[in-house]
Amino acid sequence: MRKTLVVGNWKMNQSLGDIEAFFTTVKASNFTDEAWIAPQALHLSKLIELAPKNFKTGAQNCSYENSGAFTGEVSPTSLKELGCEFVILGHSERRAIFKETHEELNLKVKKALVNNLKVIFCIGETLEERESGKIEAVLGEQLKKGLQGVSSSDVIVAYEPVWAIGTGVTATPAQAQETHEFVRKFLKEETELNAEETLILYGGSVKPDNAKELFSCADIDGGLVGGASLKAESFMGLYGK
Ligand code: 13P
């Protein structure tokens, strides 16, 4: 039985004061659902210090090596040592802005898993790719190459259509469900993951007022949320609280 999971991706947002305010509100609200948050790497310790037990803290990226001469990189071993439980890999911003390749991401996924970090592996198509009928080819390539040789139950897939990220345009529940169904079928037929057990999250302009309908679709197991995860009231609103 797959659970419903909500993960906040804070991207390069939030000050230390914002984080303190977030958890002051959460703690005053008796919020006990399982919640995952990925702050900026610099703020990971702060979250681990402040977050109540129902929160898991994770990173937005990590290196494909544990240590060495990699100036500016974040070691998966150090993330684990610090108390992180997961890492987001392959976010479309990492792929588009930082030019991360399928091969590099595959190495990162494997290295994170070896370090006992859960992996949220992101995939998604651009509007141009969707409109030219390439969704399945694009998502299939991202899954096949990024998850090559990966069979771990610690992998979660996040489908985030690039055109829905930060735009206020959400995929309709029907559009999202159709794509999630394809992703699950692809995982079953073309990868080594256990497709029925793997959580597939939806991301892209998820908000308190559309979360319930999206998350109730058969193949949508929760959300990876940017903007609406930054304020505690809105984050808890994603759970219908
Ligand atoms: P928004 O929820 O702000 O659209 O961001 C989605 C996202 O990129 C989460 O990883």
Side-chain angles (χ1 to χ4, degrees):
M1 181 67 182
R2 299 189 302 267
K3 62 181 177 185
T4 301
L5 181 64
V6 179
V7 182
N9 174 9
W10 283 357
K11 308 193 179 182
M12 202 169 70
N13 296 306
Q14 306 287 64
S15 65
L16 290 173
D18 293 333
I19 296 173
E20 275 163 19
F22 183 97
F23 286 111
T24 301
T25 305
V26 165
K27 286 174 188 170
S29 311
N30 288 326
F31 174 76
T32 53
D33 293 79
E34 179 176 344
W36 295 21
I37 302 268
Q40 303 179 45
L42 267 180
H43 292 160
L44 287 164
S45 309
K46 189 73 178 172
L47 248 80
I48 289 165
E49 176 198 323
L50 284 182
K53 284 202 167 41
N54 51 318
F55 278 73
K56 289 191 198 302
T57 302
Q60 299 170 10
N61 178 34
C62 72
S63 172
Y64 52 75
E65 292 291 355
N66 287 336
S67 63
F70 297 95
T71 303
E73 286 289 89
V74 174
S75 156
T77 314
S78 303
L79 289 175
K80 187 68 191 180
E81 188 180 42
L82 196 68
C84 290
E85 299 189 55
F86 71 95
V87 59
I88 298 172
L89 292 172
H91 192 281
S92 63
E93 288 149 19
R94 299 294 317 170
R95 293 178 189 266
I97 306 169
F98 301 100
K99 310 292 177 217
E100 293 191 359
T101 64
H102 301 302
E103 293 69 28
E104 203 176 327
L105 287 170
N106 185 244
L107 292 175
K108 289 186 178 203
V109 169
K110 288 175 173 162
K111 196 60 93 181
L113 291 170
V114 165
N115 282 284
N116 290 321
L117 291 164
K118 295 188 194 320
V119 168
I120 300 179
F121 183 72
C122 303
I123 58 170
E125 83 287 354
T126 63
L127 189 58
E128 194 189 351
E129 288 162 343
R130 170 169 281 261
E131 287 177 345
S132 55
K134 294 194 191 131
I135 302 181
E136 296 192 356
V138 169
L139 301 184
E141 184 179 26
Q142 290 171 342
L143 289 168
K144 185 110 187 145
K145 294 187 173 168
L147 296 177
Q148 192 184 357
V150 175
S151 57
S152 171
S153 57
D154 282 339
V155 174
I156 292 166
V157 173
Y159 167 59
E160 299 201 299
V162 178
W163 47 272
I165 295 178
T167 57
V169 181
T170 324
T172 63
Q175 274 175 323
Q177 166 55 27
E178 187 186 14
T179 312
H180 278 235
E181 196 178 334
F182 161 75
V183 171
R184 198 173 304 284
K185 186 162 169 275
F186 190 92
L187 291 179
K188 186 172 180 183
E189 292 171 358
E190 305 281 344
T191 75
E192 296 169 35
L193 293 182
N194 180 337
E196 286 310 318
E197 296 298 322
T198 301
L199 298 185
I200 307 176
L201 309 181
Y202 170 79
S205 298
V206 177
K207 299 181 189 70
D209 62 7
N210 60 22
K212 193 171 173 200
E213 202 183 347
L214 283 162
F215 301 168
S216 63
C217 295
D219 288 294
I220 301 180
D221 305 313
L224 179 56
V225 187
S229 72
L230 295 173
K231 293 266 184 287
E233 295 83 356
S234 168
F235 184 73
M236 292 186 288
L238 297 164
Y239 293 76
K241 304 272 149 99

